[in-house]
Amino acid sequence: MGNTKSFQLNRVSPSKGNRKILTIVMDGVGYTNPGANITSEMSNEKGILPSESFLTGNAVNAAYTPNLQRLVSCSLFRTLKAHGTAVGLPSDDDMGNSEVGHNALGAGRIFAQGAKLVNAALESGNLFKGDAWQKVVNREDLKNKTATLHLCGLLSDGNVHSHIDHLFALIKGAKKEGVKKIRLHMLLDGRDVGPLTAINYIEKLENFLKEENSPSFDCKIASSGGRTFVTMDRYESDWSIVERGYQVHILGEGRVFSSLLEAVEKLREEKNYYDQDLPPIVIHENGKPLGTVEDGDSFIFFNFRGDRAIEISRALTEQNFTAFPRKRFPKIFYAGMMQYDGDLKLPELFLVTPPAIDRTMTELLSKASVKQFACSETQKFGHVTYFWNGNRSGKFNAEFEKYVEIPSDLIPFQERPWMKSAEIADETIKQMYANSFEIGRINFANGDMVGHSGDFAATVLSVAAVDLALGRIMKAAKETNTILIVVADHGNADEMFELDKKTKKVVYDKNGLPKLKTSHTLSPVPFVIYNEEILEHKIQLKDNLPLAGLANVAATILELAGFQVPDFYEPSLIEIKGSKTINKKEDILIKKNNENLFQNKNFSERYHHSKIALEFADTIAKLRSPSGCPWDKEQTFLSLRPYLIEEAYETIEAINSLGDKPSQKKLSHFCEELGDILLQVYLHSQVALDDKLFQISDVFENINHKMITRHPHVFKISDNDIKNADDVKIQWEKIKRNEKPENSQHEFQTLLKKALKKRALPTLNFGTELSKRAKKIGFSWRTLPEVFSDVLSEVKELQHEIENNEIDTHKIEDEIGDVIFSLCNLVNFIKETRKDAEHFDFDLMARASCEKFINRFFEMEKIMLEKGAPLDEETAQKISLDQWNDLWSQAKKRRYR
């Protein structure tokens, strides 16, 4: 690996014909429940309003997205993890976000991120030992109450920008240091958590303060406001947001209330505010603001995420600040939870060291003199630049990097849900036709920014707008020799209503309306490669990366561009399958025959069949997921065995009942039983996938390969003169003899080998096959009396064991097995010696006996019913054995009359 300066990308195949690779990030577009999708429903002519996507608040599925659906149907489509440990967060219960998502996309690796770093620093105690804590908190002025410590940040447990537990830890740490007075400046969330949850967090904070406060320790809430209206702007989108924050936190200017709880309740009564939109709030005590910031005070901004912390940090630390008039600029000791911009060294003091992200894709490509392009609107411009480049401002080499920012609208995004998708597409297509780059990335902010508004209808439009732009770029890709990688950075628009964690059903408020959800989701995100046909070689998705995440995308981009993937990157999602050049007659014939397989089916039908198969696999996966069915989650290969056998029997029974002219009812039943067999195939495959053994695609690939290999007369030019079924059987045997397993030279070549291949048969049939093989090699009874004698002998041995005073259950089991195997010998002997008994099937015989018993019992119940005494359980228990025998005889006579 080496260090950054010494590492160079190695190009193993040159770029040809101005070939380009463009990554499109559909921000906030998670992929979940694809079966309830309006676009696929419309293609199947099932109407335009599928109830599920609208009723569950899935704006992605409710939007009309023909271009996205076209991509989803591609062979190079899969989903990726975009939350939790896949992007460096503490656990898989943590939602992903745009910051960590773009870090992973651009760096090709997983780095411990904000919350995880802070948690570790707090648990180890290193945060309180660090230089920043000592300089900002461990001060005599704070201990003698001549100065105040101010803590400002987002009050929630969303774990995207901050966590309330971090605030509690800082308060306790400061108290332990001897700090006497703390003032809190709380920004209300309603975005990474529910839109109307502020009161829950305020009450939790106030209860905490009641326990911590004492005559010698004074910690109170001084100011507040909603995060999107106060303090937390980003990318210099709207400095007035930061100005309002400065005025309320520093100067104590804003609407006055006696407590934060009172403020939120009154403001909601006056106007239907969501938490994130609440105006500036100042808490007064004795007619004065509780916590203005003065010279000599200490101030910690405890958000760990950088994008919305940079501007307020600048306003509180820059001497020559010009974004807005500050009125007064107190000299304070300032620290951030983390350093929010490493290049600008902002802030100079920080409590936790941010992840050191080096050797990002942009950096390596710039050193390799590869032209790159990045574009988005203001709201996400920093994500395709700063975060993509490893939390680094500026460019690595301006000669090879072209960045274009489209200014965002300065109004609520739900009022313009299309945002700047058209303008971003315009600029991108222009650069594609100009061949100005080789590797590019763009971001459509709509799904995330409009999704955060909680406006379902607007979010549906926002996703449709992205799809429209996507279609334009797809068309341009075909004309400009461009490969597209379409992905998302996390979910949001796919879950706009609160869902119960256990039932996954929508939660309703007291008015009967769905509770809105404005935070990100835990959904996987789509990933697809489009227009790969322009490559000189075939590629396919790897099937050994079921848990792949966003960090795998960088290596995929580099491999598509012809570079050797760095060994320190997460592995590529693709593998090369060889040249596309076809120069063999066999290959041409295979292609022709594969086309003939669907010659009477149009694309829509083939897509429909593929879609159903994918949906069924998704259904089985959900049954086995942590939140799935308790029964299905516990199943193993061993526990499923009896169900597989049962379904096989029921399918055979359904076949036997068909007859020459089966009724629609019998055909439907047969269809249902075949479905049950398919269920077992998928369920076993999902168990295998969960155990990281194989997946359903391997099952299909193996059987497809076997069928093609076993039928050279269909799929290849062959010298075999195949005219009838017997010719095919002879050919099969010849092919099977040549298909020796790799370890065949170590196998013990037993004389029973042929019979052992039948192990998968039902037990009685397997026993018959063993008997058949034993007879063929001479190890069996040769006459009927000998065979009968063996059966009687085994029965007597069983009787002896059962009548023994000291019963040995293991011996009884053994003897029962011997009786059954002796019957297998009898059945096989009859089959071998009687031509009219060649069809004998021991398993079906036993089954038939069971059916006979059932039918005989039905007849007995009829007899009792005719006598006016229905045969229920209570009546049955009163019948003597002689009466039962009499009923049995009567039923038997009816059967043969």
Side-chain angles (χ1 to χ4, degrees), residues 64-239:
Y64 181 57
T65 54
N67 298 301
L68 181 57
Q69 288 306 303
R70 180 179 167 197
L71 292 175
V72 167
S73 66
C74 291
S75 61
L76 296 179
F77 169 83
R78 62 163 294 165
T79 59
L80 299 175
K81 287 187 67 178
H83 72 285
T85 55
V87 287
L89 297 173
S91 77
D92 282 343
D93 291 329
D94 294 314
M95 300 172 291
N97 59 65
S98 297
E99 176 194 25
V100 299
H102 284 75
N103 275 170
L105 286 167
R109 289 154 289 163
I110 302 170
F111 290 86
Q113 291 288 353
K116 196 170 185 178
L117 291 172
V118 176
N119 290 344
L122 288 171
E123 289 170 9
S124 66
N126 290 336
L127 183 150
F128 305 114
K129 300 173 186 175
D131 183 57
W133 181 265
Q134 296 300 317
K135 288 182 178 179
V136 175
V137 179
N138 192 12
R139 298 174 48 224
E140 284 301 319
D141 288 348
L142 296 177
K143 297 177 182 180
N144 62 27
K145 215 173 182 179
T146 59
T148 302
L149 171 62
H150 299 266
L151 300 178
C152 182
L154 193 63
L155 182 67
S156 81
D157 56 4
N159 221 32
V160 175
H161 290 269
S162 70
H163 199 290
I164 192 171
D165 289 349
H166 298 166
L167 171 62
F168 292 167
L170 295 180
I171 293 172
K172 285 185 174 182
K175 181 180 179 180
K176 189 175 180 179
E177 292 285 359
V179 174
K180 296 295 189 291
K181 182 180 177 182
I182 300 178
R183 291 296 176 258
L184 307 177
H185 306 274
M186 300 289 91
L187 298 165
L188 303 179
D189 195 343
R191 185 163 174 154
D192 298 325
V193 293
L196 297 170
T197 55
I199 289 177
N200 299 338
Y201 298 106
I202 295 168
E203 290 177 342
K204 187 174 182 179
L205 174 58
E206 289 186 341
N207 289 334
F208 171 82
L209 295 179
K210 284 179 184 178
E211 294 181 4
E212 295 296 325
N213 279 326
S214 67
S216 61
F217 182 70
D218 176 23
C219 183
K220 295 177 180 176
I221 301 172
S223 70
S224 185
R227 57 177 281 180
T228 58
F229 194 67
V230 177
T231 305
M232 286 177 59
D233 182 45
R234 66 177 175 189
Y235 311 145
E236 302 184 32
S237 175
D238 186 354
W239 274 103

Side-chain angles (χ1 to χ4, degrees), residues 39 159 166 182 201 209 277 293 347 478 519 539 593 609 657 689 698 703 719-720 724 809 883 885:
T39 312
N159 221 32
H166 298 166
I182 300 178
Y201 298 106
L209 295 179
D277 302 319
V293 180
K478 290 290 187 182
S519 60
I539 62 171
N593 278 281
H609 296 154
S657 69
L689 178 60
D698 297 316
I703 190 62
D719 295 331
N720 294 329
N724 53 47
T809 55
Q883 289 173 311
N885 286 333

